[in-house]
């Protein structure tokens, strides 16, 4: 990428939950924006969104939308990305895509800057942003993997409804109000009631009885960590929380690491906050982590059932580090460049 003082940025899917976060984070972090173009579906055309005190009108996305764009941040779903990301890349933009469209594409690097920054510069026009639940897990696990090598990961996620989008957040609110008023609930977004309930079902079920979300965590973790030998198994659960994903993670390591050693490793790691004093009721909670950039880790303890095992509890804001922030961090590293480019 040609270095500039300021860059022309496009956000595709600007009116969605992640799109809103992208706009806010670009402003918060002082990203060097020359122009900001906002795109969404036809039904959102003409809406205005604020950036640095100015209202910017949302436009309908077309094949001609990317002329002069340096970086295109996509968060409009896999179908839109598959159609328009190659067009944007052909027009000269670097695409950072938040959908699942290119994550396992061998030509597209799958990047979490704290974990594999170097992969950014292998791009051929498209960089993939990983799944939200994968991002927060690998931020916490990569430092431990570097120290003692992780052989196996067992993860159960407790994922907020904002991972599905604004309509799911509205559904949780409406169902909660209905139940508290002793009324019947309506299920439009999820196949079952989500209020006061847990659904062990995120995305479609596959022939192996796992869901797509679970297999994303398996495959993406190996790609990001650049180690196909790591064994990963996942169970992903949707819970009645508006924002932040939580994960119970068990790891088996090649060399032994004690909980105190793990805390020391994680305390020195970028993007991680160790929040771990359970006797004082200190451990990460979604209500506390919402709006935070870092991944919070607590309940670090030895797995007493195996020789080299550690359990931990990981919480991250899925709209920020799990999506919008990670994409913008990729853009920040992209414009910094690398001596080895």
């Amino acid at each position: 990428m040609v270095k500039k003082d300021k860059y022309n940025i496009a956000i595709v899917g600007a009116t969605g939950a992640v799109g809103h976060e992208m706009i806010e984070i670009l402003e918060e972090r002082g990203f060097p924006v020359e122009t900001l173009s906002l795109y969404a579906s036809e039904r959102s055309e003409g809406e205005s969104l604020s950036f640095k005190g100015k209202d910017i009108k949302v436009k309908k996305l077309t094949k001609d939308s990317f002329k002069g764009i340096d970086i295109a941040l996509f968060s409009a779903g896999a179908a839109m990305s598959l159609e328009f990301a190659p067009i944007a890349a052909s027009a000269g933009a670097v695409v950072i895509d938040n959908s699942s469209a290119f994550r396992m594409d061998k030509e597209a690097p799958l990047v979490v800057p704290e974990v594999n920054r170097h992969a950014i510069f292998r791009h051929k026009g498209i960089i993939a942003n990983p799944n939200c639940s994968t991002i927060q897990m690998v931020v916490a696990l990569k430092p431990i993997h570097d120290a003692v090598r992780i052989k196996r990961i067992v993860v159960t996620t407790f994922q907020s409804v904002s991972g599905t989008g604004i309509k799911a957040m509205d559904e949780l609110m409406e169902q909660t109000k209905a139940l508290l008023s002793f009324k019947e609930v309506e299920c439009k977004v999820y196949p079952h009631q989500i209020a006061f309930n847990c659904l062990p079902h995120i995305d479609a079920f596959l022939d192996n009885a796992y869901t797509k979300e679970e297999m994303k965590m398996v495959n993406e973790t190996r790609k990001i960590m650049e180690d196909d030998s790591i064994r990963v198994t996942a169970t992903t659960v949707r819970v009645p929380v508006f924002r932040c994903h939580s994960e119970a993670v068990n790891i088996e390591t090649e060399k032994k690491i004690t909980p105190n050693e793990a805390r020391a490793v994680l305390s020195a790691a970028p993007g991680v906050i160790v929040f771990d004093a359970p006797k004082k009721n200190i451990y990460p909670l979604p209500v506390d982590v919402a709006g935070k950039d870092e991944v919070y880790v607590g309940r670090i303890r030895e797995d007493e059932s195996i020789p080299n095992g550690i359990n931990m509890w990981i919480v991250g804001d899925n709209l920020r580090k799990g999506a919008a922030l990670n994409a913008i961090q990729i853009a920040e590293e992209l414009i910094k460049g690398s001596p080895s480019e």
Side-chain angles (χ1 to χ4, degrees):
M1 169 172 280
V2 177
K3 283 190 176 292
K4 300 181 176 182
D5 292 332
K6 293 186 176 181
Y7 297 84
N8 298 320
I9 308 296
I11 298 178
V12 178
T15 57
V18 174
H20 279 284
E21 290 290 322
M22 286 175 169
I23 295 168
E24 289 180 15
I25 293 169
L26 284 171
E27 184 167 345
E28 283 175 15
R29 294 173 73 89
F31 193 92
V33 177
E34 179 68 46
T35 64
L36 180 62
S37 301
L38 304 179
Y39 296 102
S41 63
E42 193 171 358
R43 67 179 179 273
S44 299
E45 189 176 8
E47 286 185 28
S48 290
L49 297 172
S50 178
F51 178 69
K52 292 188 175 180
K54 295 181 180 178
D55 287 337
I56 301 175
K57 284 204 171 181
V58 177
K59 295 176 277 189
K60 179 185 173 184
L61 187 66
T62 70
K63 293 180 179 179
D64 300 318
S65 296
F66 302 102
K67 186 177 180 182
I69 296 296
D70 298 305
I71 299 172
L73 303 169
F74 273 65
S75 187
M80 290 289 282
S81 293
L82 286 168
E83 181 178 357
F84 285 99
I87 294 170
S90 295
V94 177
V95 173
I96 302 171
D97 179 46
N98 194 53
S99 81
S100 61
F102 300 99
R103 287 176 186 157
M104 298 314 296
D105 188 326
K106 291 180 181 179
E107 298 294 307
L110 184 66
V111 177
V112 178
E114 296 92 335
V115 176
N116 62 335
R117 179 189 186 272
H118 58 274
I120 292 171
F121 306 100
R122 299 175 188 158
H123 79 82
K124 296 183 179 179
I126 299 173
I127 301 169
N129 208 33
N131 184 41
C132 47
S133 48
T134 305
I135 288 174
Q136 67 185 64
M137 185 174 76
V138 297
V139 167
L141 294 191
K142 184 58 162 61
I144 295 174
H145 186 61
D146 289 343
V148 291
R149 193 179 167 274
I150 295 170
K151 295 165 58 179
R152 184 170 186 255
I153 301 166
V154 180
V155 54
T156 301
T157 71
F158 305 83
Q159 295 180 224
S160 66
V161 296
S162 56
T164 309
I166 291 172
K167 288 182 180 179
M169 297 171 78
D170 291 341
E171 178 154 297
L172 173 57
M173 178 66 78
E174 292 305 315
Q175 287 184 0
T176 301
K177 289 193 291 187
L179 288 164
L180 293 176
S181 302
F182 303 99
K183 296 177 181 177
E184 292 291 320
V185 301
E186 288 189 59
C187 300
K188 296 178 181 177
V189 177
Y190 297 118
H192 303 284
Q193 173 187 317
I194 183 62
F196 305 100
N197 204 12
C198 297
L199 308 182
H201 176 186
I202 300 179
D203 212 325
F205 281 98
L206 302 170
D207 290 342
N208 65 354
Y210 286 83
T211 64
K212 284 186 178 179
E213 183 82 359
E214 289 159 354
M215 294 312 299
K216 284 175 192 174
M217 294 196 74
V218 173
N219 296 322
E220 291 178 23
T221 298
R222 290 171 176 160
K223 183 173 178 180
I224 297 163
M225 304 267 269
E226 299 178 350
D227 189 343
D228 287 338
S229 71
I230 301 173
R231 291 170 290 164
V232 186
T233 188
T235 301
T236 57
V237 183
R238 189 72 68 189
V239 295
V241 170
F242 283 104
R243 186 162 176 153
C244 288
H245 292 349
S246 304
E247 299 173 346
V249 179
N250 173 277
I251 58 171
E252 182 182 0
T253 58
E254 193 170 86
K255 299 176 184 176
K256 187 169 182 64
I257 186 170
T258 67
N260 279 338
E261 288 168 341
R263 290 185 192 97
V265 167
L266 290 170
S267 294
V272 177
I273 299 289
V274 175
F275 200 66
D276 192 26
K279 288 184 178 178
K280 298 179 181 178
N281 297 329
I282 293 173
Y283 31 71
L285 299 172
V287 292
D288 297 327
V289 177
K292 302 288 189 356
D293 290 345
E294 297 83 6
V295 171
Y296 282 63
V297 185
R299 296 294 320 276
I300 301 168
R301 61 206 188 277
E302 188 167 350
D303 176 355
E304 297 178 346
S305 70
I306 55 174
N308 297 339
I310 292 286
N311 286 300
M312 64 183 73
W313 176 251
I314 302 171
V315 181
D317 188 324
N318 57 296
L319 296 181
R320 290 185 73 87
K321 184 55 186 170
L325 174 64
N326 197 73
I328 290 165
Q329 286 175 315
I330 292 170
E332 289 171 344
E333 297 304 320
L334 183 69
I335 65 174
K336 284 179 190 175
S338 167
S340 60
E341 277 183 89

